[in-house]
Amino acid sequence: MSERLQPGDVAPAFTLPDADGNEISLSDHKGRKVIVYFYPAALTPGCTKQACDFTDNLDVLADAGYDVIGISPDSPEKLAKFRDKESLKVKLLADPEKKVTESYAAYGEKKNYGKTYMGVIRSTIVVDEQGKVERALYNVRATGHVAKIIKDLGI
């Protein structure tokens, strides 16, 4: 398991397929700030709430210079179904082998109802225009998280 990212760290580079199978890289966004968020599974209540919140606030974030990328271990096909069912405008990327999720320290031990298991840790990493970590938020809540990010970033 990777160490949690800290402000000032270089954000790990990645290239992953989106919901349509197109390869998307972090470097495609050089010169813009990027909010990279990791979520456990498409088409689940919490993840749907979070993705819809990002979609609802996409214009506000884009106007402030931020692109938004959501990453989960789902297949591109499941992401396409998720995007279409919920009318999502957020760029969703597939990381079925969890290599990128692990490199961002967004995969690890979780506890739920007294059971401990390995899974995706709901996390949000804000990357600046130079590809450095500006903020690293781990174990975030799906509900209210986007509003908190907007407030914390002063948007």
Side-chain angles (χ1 to χ4, degrees), residues 23-63:
E23 297 278 307
I24 305 294
S25 300
L26 180 61
S27 60
D28 297 342
H29 299 269
K30 199 138 187 85
R32 290 198 40 95
K33 293 184 177 199
V34 186
I35 296 171
V36 182
Y37 78 97
F38 294 88
Y39 62 99
L43 301 166
T44 58
C47 298
T48 298
K49 172 87 180 105
Q50 188 177 22
C52 288
D53 279 355
F54 271 118
T55 292
D56 292 346
N57 289 286
L58 210 52
D59 289 343
V60 171
L61 292 164
D63 289 348

Side-chain angles (χ1 to χ4, degrees), residues 122-126 135-140 145 148-149 152:
R122 194 180 302 278
S123 308
T124 301
I125 311 300
V126 180
R135 291 168 192 259
L137 309 163
Y138 293 95
N139 294 310
V140 301
H145 179 60
K148 182 179 179 345
I149 289 173
D152 290 353

